[in-house]
Amino acid sequence: MRRERRNGVIMSESYAVNEKRELILQKVKEFIVAHGGIVKKNQLEELHIDYRRILDFVEKGDLIRIKSGYYTIRIGDYSEDELIVKLFPDAVLTMECALYAYGYIKRKPYGYQISVDKNTSKSRFKLEFPQVTPFYAEPETLQSGVDRIDFGNAKMQIFDKDRLICECLKYEDKMERAVFQEGVLSYIKDEKKNIANLMKYARERRVVKKVQSMIGVWL
């Protein structure tokens, strides 16, 4: 077995290798913490570390791969909401997830429904946890009627209430009937709804007839 002398102490080759590994691991962990706790593969490339090292850290349980290309130290440090904010900062909360955030429905939906640019990579949504359902949209439609709310100790984009109802009307067939009805009725009762904005978004999303037939009679 090869040995080397360091500061007057003779160390085995395996000890030196392990020490080097621990130093690299510590460097990676510090980098991840400094970048918000979750990083992408291309961010780790800034460290100029052989990617096989990262794979070894994952295999040994020193790092956690949340999904392909995304890494953290401890998955338990984050709530589902926080993971959504960190993994999909460009997305907009919509449908049942947004209805629940506004208090329009009582039961928290399973998973997360988010609107994203139709040109985004489909592989982004291949993850076991948390469950995500993307709604692909034209890029320009993601700029209209968007607010920000506190979500998982951070800020997340969400369609405002008037735009959200138009989304629910547009994708009514993708929702449970009871949830759809609960959300629409809650909106109708909301004193802060903006009918002018509702009709504006209805024209943009091409659901004017639905607004007139399902909501207009109650206004």
Side-chain angles (χ1 to χ4, degrees), residues 53-147:
R53 286 277 190 183
I54 304 301
L55 297 179
D56 175 66
F57 293 149
V58 171
E59 183 178 342
K60 299 293 195 306
D62 298 307
L63 296 182
I64 302 296
R65 179 163 48 200
I66 302 174
K67 61 184 295 294
S68 180
Y70 286 80
Y71 301 89
T72 189
I73 300 172
R74 291 180 299 274
I75 193 69
D77 289 347
Y78 303 96
S79 67
E80 290 185 31
D81 291 351
E82 289 172 318
L83 286 174
I84 291 297
V85 171
K86 291 180 177 295
L87 293 175
F88 307 103
D90 55 322
V92 184
L93 293 179
T94 188
M95 309 301 286
E96 294 98 324
C97 189
L99 289 173
Y100 181 78
Y102 284 131
Y104 278 2
I105 58 175
K106 295 179 180 178
R107 187 183 69 186
K108 185 175 183 179
Y110 175 71
Y112 295 80
Q113 299 77 41
I114 56 177
S115 284
V116 294
D117 186 328
K118 70 173 188 178
N119 299 309
T120 194
S121 172
K122 307 300 186 291
S123 64
R124 293 182 65 190
F125 310 103
K126 293 180 180 179
L127 65 166
E128 296 181 3
F129 176 87
Q131 179 68 41
V132 175
T133 302
F135 285 78
Y136 299 103
E138 295 290 340
E140 58 271 17
T141 68
L142 295 175
Q143 307 302 315
S144 179
V146 176
D147 284 336

Side-chain angles (χ1 to χ4, degrees), residues 166-180:
C166 288
E167 294 302 302
C168 291
L169 291 171
K170 188 175 183 68
Y171 299 108
E172 177 186 357
D173 61 335
K174 296 182 180 296
M175 301 178 67
E176 291 183 19
R177 189 64 185 169
V179 173
F180 172 79

Side-chain angles (χ1 to χ4, degrees), residues 30-31 43 46 48 52 66 70 81 100 109-110 112 134 143 149 185 188-189 198 209:
E30 290 175 355
F31 181 84
Q43 289 177 286
E46 297 176 25
H48 303 293
R52 287 174 294 184
I66 302 174
Y70 286 80
D81 291 351
Y100 181 78
Y110 175 71
Y112 295 80
Q143 307 302 315
I149 61 170
L185 287 175
I188 291 171
K189 296 175 183 178
L198 175 68
K209 289 185 178 180

Side-chain angles (χ1 to χ4, degrees), residues 27-62:
K27 182 179 180 181
V28 172
K29 287 184 174 181
E30 290 175 355
F31 181 84
I32 291 175
V33 171
H35 287 75
I38 296 177
V39 297
K40 299 178 183 179
K41 176 184 175 182
N42 60 359
Q43 289 177 286
L44 289 174
E45 291 173 356
E46 297 176 25
L47 296 175
H48 303 293
I49 296 173
D50 189 329
Y51 187 60
R52 287 174 294 184
R53 286 277 190 183
I54 304 301
L55 297 179
D56 175 66
F57 293 149
V58 171
E59 183 178 342
K60 299 293 195 306
D62 298 307

